[in-house]
Amino acid sequence: MNFETYPFEKLSALLENIEPNKDFEPSALTIGEPQFATPLFIQNALKDSSDLLRKYPASAGIPELKEAMINFVSKRFNVKLSKDEIIPTFGTREVLFNFPQFALFDKQNPVMAFTNPFYQIYEGAAIASRAEVIHLDLNSENNFKAILSDDELKRCDLVILNYPNNPTSAKMHIDELALWVKKALEFDFILVNDECYSEIFFDENDKPVSLLEASIKAGNSEFKNVLVMNSISKRSSAPGLRSGFIAGDKHILEEYMKYRTYVGCASPVPLQNAAAVAWNDEVHVQEFRKIYKENFEIAKEILGIQTPQATFYIWLKVEDELEFTKELYKQKNIKVLPGSFLGRNGAGKGYVRIALVENAQKTKEVLKRLKDFIDG
């Protein structure tokens, strides 16, 4: 297998021979990892369960965790899932990588489509599946919304959407997602939405919707050909818990669960107990949203940008993303991620991704530095 170098490795190579300005404290705005302590009640649940390390974890997950995830989907999206319509996973990265391999294994000439720019695990999964790739190019002309012609959709076996979107922060409305559901049924392909940023939003009256909601609106209440994936990492500042799920079409999930018993990616029981507590609580998530909202208010004041509808990313348009990244690091000791490292065939060119995952004080200081650099 010939995998592409990961974006962060490309960034290290780009900046390798550059000496940053030592007058400033190093600031990395590159990785989407919340820089806040995991709430104590989640940490305590993990500590209190440590004696369960003596037990092998079941691939299907403990009942308490699955129930907590079902409750989350019900409270957040008003979708009632049965137990055979959801599987706990070891975060979303592993399922995004191995589900396509499972789904495409029996296809002689598999075709997989996904948003571009993208989370690189999509591409890795396509390579591991020996799949032909069709890119859903996201740009300002299409408002960063996924569009594909019927002729292309007829060829697809699996399509991965990612809304709210990393890196562009774009959001799709329920009618737009419902149209995708109808196409998945019409052309009989599996449709997945990676929803791991669904809980980082700033308008209670305009929350990101789930593909599950759109499936019901499209008249597909059984979620035929429809799956979503979500994770606790962003919403609970707990990426180390590695707690995610895949939910939707129970017939696909029944066979996928058999596959998972061989993969060996079951989460340790103490982590599952802590994750169950986290999935069941919304108060701490609301507190994190307040922090991210404040960060974007600071960004709006300093950089003059509009607050995105979701995620904690700024998708900043620049003239030359590689030169911008190198000079910013050299002059201000700030690291950002060139958009072209996240895309193919020119997608992401002319943009940098900035992750606002620090507290307000640090965010204000580094964005002022960034503004000084932009103003020259």
Side-chain angles (χ1 to χ4, degrees):
M1 296 182 192
N2 185 22
F3 293 109
E4 271 276 347
T5 304
Y6 231 62
F8 305 109
E9 296 175 60
K10 291 181 179 179
L11 180 63
S12 295
L14 180 71
L15 303 179
E16 186 176 12
N17 296 317
I18 297 174
E19 184 69 28
N21 190 339
K22 301 298 185 185
D23 290 342
F24 299 106
E25 182 181 348
S27 295
L29 306 179
T30 51
I31 190 168
E33 180 183 66
Q35 298 299 298
F36 310 107
T38 303
L40 276 176
F41 77 96
I42 301 175
Q43 295 187 45
N44 289 335
L46 176 61
K47 294 171 187 174
D48 293 344
S49 303
S50 61
D51 65 311
L52 294 175
L53 286 170
R54 71 185 189 278
K55 291 182 174 293
Y56 279 115
S59 297
I62 61 173
E64 293 84 355
L65 177 58
K66 181 174 279 194
E67 192 62 38
M69 291 170 167
I70 289 172
N71 289 342
F72 162 74
V73 173
S74 177
K75 288 185 291 186
R76 174 64 177 82
F77 302 112
N78 196 29
V79 173
K80 312 292 185 183
L81 293 175
S82 60
K83 290 182 180 179
D84 55 0
E85 290 176 327
I86 190 167
I87 297 174
T89 61
F90 198 57
T92 50
R93 182 169 177 164
E94 63 93 348
V95 65
L96 283 164
F97 185 67
N98 66 48
F99 177 79
Q101 295 175 65
F102 157 80
L104 300 175
F105 180 80
D106 292 325
K107 303 293 182 181
Q108 189 167 359
N109 297 295
V111 177
M112 179 174 165
F114 49 82
T115 47
N116 179 38
F118 50 81
Y119 177 35
Q120 197 157 315
I121 208 71
Y122 308 160
E123 182 180 75
I127 293 169
S129 304
R130 296 186 173 88
E132 177 188 344
V133 171
I134 298 175
H135 289 120
L136 302 168
D137 293 332
L138 310 181
N139 50 58
S140 58
E141 286 75 24
N142 58 28
N143 293 316
F144 306 106
K145 304 290 181 75
I147 301 170
L148 212 57
S149 70
D150 284 1
D151 286 342
E152 290 171 307
L153 289 173
K154 288 174 185 176
R155 300 180 55 229
C156 290
D157 299 298
L158 172 65
V159 174
I160 299 180
L161 305 178
N162 170 218
Y163 289 95
N165 184 255
N166 167 26
T168 71
S169 295
K171 194 179 75 170
M172 287 189 85
H173 298 292
I174 192 166
D175 290 335
E176 295 170 315
L177 289 171
L179 181 59
W180 271 98
V181 172
K182 291 175 182 178
K183 293 295 183 181
L185 295 173
E186 179 181 358
F187 299 121
D188 195 27
F189 61 82
I190 297 174
L191 177 65
V192 172
N193 193 27
D194 175 3
E195 300 182 354
C196 72
Y197 289 93
S198 70
E199 303 313 288
I200 310 300
F201 59 86
F202 313 108
D203 185 350
E204 285 289 332
N205 297 315
D206 191 22
K207 301 175 184 178
V209 298
S210 173
L211 185 64
L212 297 176
E213 295 175 89
S215 186
I216 292 171
K217 182 162 189 180
N220 184 25
S221 59
E222 303 250 323
F223 311 119
K224 178 176 170 55
N225 288 3
V226 169
L227 295 163
V228 302
M229 299 174 191
N230 212 324
S231 165
I232 210 167
S233 300
K234 319 298 181 184
R235 78 182 284 275
S236 297
S237 190
L241 275 182
R242 309 310 304 137
S243 179
F245 64 75
I246 180 171
D249 188 324
K250 64 182 179 182
H251 301 293
I252 296 174
L253 293 182
E254 180 181 10
E255 295 304 312
Y256 178 56
M257 188 62 240
K258 295 176 187 176
Y259 168 87
R260 288 187 64 81
T261 60
Y262 291 89
V263 174
C265 54
S267 176
V269 178
L271 270 68
Q272 293 192 53
N273 275 341
V277 169
W279 282 110
N280 270 324
D281 183 80
E282 285 297 318
V283 175
H284 75 288
V285 187
Q286 294 168 5
E287 293 304 312
F288 284 132
R289 277 198 287 268
K290 289 178 184 176
I291 295 172
Y292 294 126
K293 185 175 183 178
E294 183 179 4
N295 282 348
F296 277 110
E297 288 170 350
I298 293 168
K300 184 176 182 179
E301 177 186 343
I302 296 174
L303 300 178
I305 65 157
Q306 290 299 312
T307 300
Q309 295 175 312
T311 82
F312 41 55
Y313 296 120
I314 297 174
W315 189 234
L316 185 67
K317 189 169 180 57
V318 298
E319 187 171 335
D320 183 325
E321 77 281 4
L322 299 181
E323 285 304 313
F324 183 95
T325 299
K326 290 190 288 185
E327 284 300 314
L328 178 62
Y329 181 56
K330 180 180 179 181
Q331 295 182 31
K332 300 294 184 179
N333 209 349
I334 298 173
K335 290 182 180 180
V336 295
L337 195 62
S340 56
F341 288 0
L342 298 165
R344 301 290 179 265
N345 307 320
K349 186 176 176 60
Y351 289 88
V352 294
R353 192 189 76 176
I354 297 170
L356 299 186
V357 292
E358 297 277 6
N359 61 41
Q361 182 180 351
K362 287 186 178 180
T363 298
K364 182 176 290 187
E365 189 277 327
V366 73
L367 291 186
K368 283 182 176 178
R369 261 193 275 162
L370 176 61
K371 175 64 171 173
D372 288 343
F373 171 78
I374 292 172
D375 290 346

